[in-house]
Amino acid sequence: MAPFHSRPSARDLRFVLAVAVFMTTAAIAEARYGGGQFSPVAAIVSEELYSSLFLHKDDAACPAKGFYTYASFIRATRRFPKFGGTGDLVTRKREIAAFFAQISHETTGGWATAPDGPYSWGLCFKEEITPQSKYCDATNKQWPCYPGRSYHGRGPIQISWNYNYGPAGQALGFDGLLNPDLVANCSDTAFQTALWFWMTPRQPKPSCHQVMVGEYCPSTADAAANRTAGFGLVTNIVNGGLECNIANDARVNDRIGYYRRYCQVLGIDVGPNLDCEHQMPYS
């Protein structure tokens, strides 16, 4: 008797097709934007999708016009291969959506009645406008400020303060204390600093990456402060001292609005604990 061969199910065929599309998309992006380490993000976020998410980033009204290119973003992700590459597909998409939402709020040019809605205006700015100070913590002797330098917000995550510019530059291969302007003048460096901030835990804070991929293990202090995993905890890490433990904060709501939009476009749910209204900020 001839051996019996079962026909592949529709589910099997869909899986094979999904894998083929995934690999093809990644291969096209990698071929177009140069060699080096593979970026799993390129398989999820195509250039077309990227442009549709940040619909107005290159408008004449945006000071960052032409700065935040897709190529620079993909090159930066290669330095952090675990970003968008950890966990199942839903987890990976959710992390990318959370990152995009946070950098969109930090650089937004949108307003309530903006064309295409307020959540289509991410990546409009590349540095803080009229900063209130030079963001120099003179008490920090490990990362001393240079005379005449300002450590105000720059880049997608609006990295600020000498104690962030210093270690970011050390990790990425530039002198962040001597040359902080590089973050606003080099697109690749701008995205790399944002991803460095996203991926790097700074005690007592976990990294944003750890929170979004399920690697966050709350301490006793975290539990007492109600720091539960989810998008709200990422907001706490980014700017909790100003935005968390506050009822119905407009800034938090703006971050959530961007996050909901990006999750919807990527075809995933938003997950739990969207806000940090009942979380104590980190000291």
Side-chain angles (χ1 to χ4, degrees):
M1 177 181 293
F4 174 75
H5 295 285
S6 60
R7 298 179 60 186
S9 67
R11 181 179 180 182
D12 292 335
L13 291 173
R14 286 196 298 271
F15 175 78
V16 171
L17 180 60
V19 171
V21 171
F22 178 94
M23 296 305 295
T24 300
T25 302
I28 291 172
E30 290 299 312
R32 184 170 182 179
Y33 299 109
Q37 190 165 4
F38 170 75
S39 168
V41 178
I44 295 173
V45 182
S46 66
E47 185 171 13
E48 181 180 11
L49 177 60
Y50 180 83
S51 296
S52 71
L53 295 177
F54 304 107
L55 193 60
H56 293 282
K57 69 180 180 66
D58 294 325
D59 280 20
C62 287
K65 177 183 178 182
F67 185 70
Y68 294 115
T69 66
Y70 177 74
S72 291
F73 169 62
I74 293 300
R75 283 194 295 267
T77 64
R78 290 200 190 100
R79 296 198 65 163
F80 300 90
K82 291 185 178 180
F83 171 73
T86 304
D88 61 21
L89 185 58
V90 171
T91 300
R92 294 168 55 209
K93 286 184 174 183
R94 195 175 286 147
E95 180 182 18
I96 294 169
F99 176 76
F100 279 171
Q102 293 291 343
I103 66 173
S104 292
H105 170 78
E106 294 293 334
T107 60
T108 187
W111 64 99
T113 58
D116 301 303
Y119 307 123
S120 297
W121 289 79
L123 298 183
C124 189
F125 290 85
K126 61 179 180 176
E127 64 181 313
E128 188 176 350
I129 303 299
T130 60
Q132 297 179 355
S133 74
K134 292 187 176 181
Y135 293 86
C136 170
D137 179 2
T139 67
N140 190 301
K141 304 304 181 184
Q142 183 181 6
W143 306 107
C145 306
Y146 272 87
R149 301 298 190 271
S150 174
Y151 303 103
H152 61 266
R154 296 179 179 89
I157 206 73
Q158 290 290 281
I159 190 171
S160 307
W161 296 98
N162 49 307
Y163 52 74
N164 283 318
Y165 274 93
Q170 183 180 75
L172 298 171
F174 74 100
D175 193 333
L177 295 174
L178 179 63
N179 191 16
D181 286 328
L182 187 65
V183 181
N185 294 330
C186 175
S187 302
D188 285 27
T189 302
F191 274 121
Q192 288 169 20
T193 57
L195 286 168
W196 170 85
F197 181 92
W198 186 268
M199 301 296 296
T200 306
R202 309 282 296 280
Q203 291 296 328
K205 297 180 181 181
S207 71
C208 301
H209 169 76
Q210 288 172 323
V211 172
M212 293 307 302
V213 303
E215 295 177 355
Y216 165 61
C217 297
S219 65
T220 302
D222 288 323
N226 196 38
R227 298 186 192 115
T228 50
F231 183 74
L233 183 54
V234 172
T235 297
N236 198 340
I237 294 168
V238 173
N239 204 31
L242 296 177
E243 299 181 22
C244 294
N245 197 35
I246 300 172
N248 197 33
D249 187 85
R251 297 161 296 185
V252 173
N253 292 337
D254 188 67
R255 296 178 195 272
I256 294 171
Y258 272 112
Y259 181 55
R260 287 188 183 279
R261 177 182 175 234
Y262 296 151
C263 284
Q264 181 180 32
V265 172
L266 290 171
I268 55 172
D269 64 272
V270 296
N273 304 317
L274 291 184
D275 64 64
C276 58
E277 179 174 332
H278 302 293
Q279 294 182 23
M280 294 299 296
Y282 292 92
S283 57

